[in-house]
Amino acid sequence: MTSSRLSPATRLGLCAALLALAAAAQAETRPMTMIAPQNVLQLAAQGSVEVRQDLLMLTLSADREGASAAQVQENLRAALDAALSEAKKTAEPQQMDVQTGEFSVIPRYDRNNKISGWQGRASVLLQGRDFPRITAAAARVSAMTVSHVEFDLSREQRAKAQTEAQKQAIDAFKARAAEITRAFGFASYTLREVSVGDENDEFMLRARYAAAPESASLLSKKAAVAVEPGTSTVRVTVSGSVQAQ
């Protein structure tokens, strides 16, 4: 049957069918339009805990000078070996750990930019939670002097503080979400997404010596170092969005 024999009504029906098929194919290829969520609130809350620092890091160091690099290196190695030998006598895991630190030898130049000698430094780090043990060990090491004192939080103390700060932040987030939801005239909310992150600690560092040193020579007298830790503030932030209902 040719198209010339089709009745006008049949032709009209075929055209309508073809148009419907074309519209369906176009709908399949057309991307779906996403409807933006309504009544979504973005908010954040924070929890913070201030804790006393319970980790002491005390650095002992020795400086040497000489005409040759080999001489300086040998003198530093002797000082390092002596310091390690003495400090390890009272070492105990977590209470006082002993480890080597910096060991460097560099040239010294004169006005003509020529090597006029060599200088170097070696150091030992005493770290732990037993402050009296650490300071007493430092006083016994005659080959080195105290060059740096720093405080921090132990892993256990930090984890405990983060857990407490996290609970505060979550409770504050929930309370804030309920408050804002009611302020906008909604009865309740559901949680859409949330992220929890801890921030870098803010800390106050305090260190004092038994006798305020005016020069390194006073430290060489090996008076026991009296130290006083400060505090660290551990913060945790909870942020996310809620669906007001």
Side-chain angles (χ1 to χ4, degrees):
M1 181 181 292
T2 62
S3 59
S4 60
R5 296 180 181 179
L6 295 176
S7 65
T10 303
R11 292 176 182 178
L12 183 61
L14 288 174
C15 290
L18 290 174
L19 289 174
L21 289 174
Q26 186 177 5
E28 290 180 358
T29 58
R30 185 184 304 163
M32 296 181 62
T33 302
M34 299 298 295
I35 301 176
Q38 301 295 315
N39 306 326
V40 176
L41 307 175
Q42 301 283 343
L43 64 150
Q46 190 179 79
S48 64
V49 177
E50 185 173 310
V51 290
R52 191 168 182 81
Q53 296 158 340
D54 65 336
L55 185 66
L56 171 62
M57 294 166 287
L58 190 150
T59 303
L60 302 171
S61 63
D63 298 293
R64 299 289 186 270
E65 297 183 356
S68 68
Q71 176 188 355
V72 174
Q73 182 172 317
E74 181 60 30
N75 291 339
L76 287 175
R77 189 173 300 280
L80 180 61
D81 291 343
L84 288 173
S85 177
E86 181 61 43
K88 286 181 177 179
K89 292 179 180 178
T90 54
E92 183 180 342
Q94 296 186 353
Q95 301 306 310
M96 188 184 81
D97 295 306
V98 181
Q99 66 183 65
T100 56
E102 175 187 6
F103 191 101
S104 62
V105 178
I106 59 175
R108 187 176 62 246
Y109 295 91
D110 59 18
R111 294 181 178 179
N112 298 320
N113 203 29
K114 293 183 178 180
I115 296 178
S116 59
W118 294 80
Q119 61 187 18
R121 164 171 284 202
S123 63
V124 170
L125 175 64
L126 308 181
Q127 175 178 297
R129 293 182 291 190
D130 191 336
F131 294 1
R133 183 196 299 260
I134 294 173
T135 55
R140 291 195 309 270
V141 176
S142 59
M144 293 185 173
T145 58
V146 177
S147 60
H148 185 69
V149 178
E150 185 177 352
F151 296 93
D152 202 349
L153 298 178
S154 65
R155 183 179 302 178
E156 296 80 7
Q157 185 82 318
R158 185 182 301 276
K160 180 180 178 181
Q162 286 177 338
T163 298
E164 185 176 348
Q166 177 177 288
K167 183 180 183 305
Q168 290 182 7
I170 292 174
D171 290 343
F173 182 92
K174 292 163 62 177
R176 183 169 174 78
E179 178 184 355
I180 294 177
T181 299
R182 289 193 299 268
F184 278 104
F186 296 95
S188 62
Y189 70 88
T190 57
L191 186 65
R192 287 178 56 87
E193 59 182 19
V194 66
S195 63
V196 180
D198 60 294
E199 300 180 5
N200 294 329
D201 301 346
E202 291 183 359
F203 63 90
M204 296 181 294
L205 174 64
R206 298 195 300 271
R208 61 181 178 83
Y209 294 93
E214 297 178 358
S215 65
S217 62
L218 289 180
L219 285 178
S220 66
K221 294 180 181 179
K222 307 311 295 178
V225 177
V227 294
E228 180 184 353
T231 60
S232 290
T233 301
V234 179
R235 288 184 169 86
V236 173
T237 299
V238 175
S239 59
S241 61
V242 297
Q243 178 75 56
Q245 297 176 337

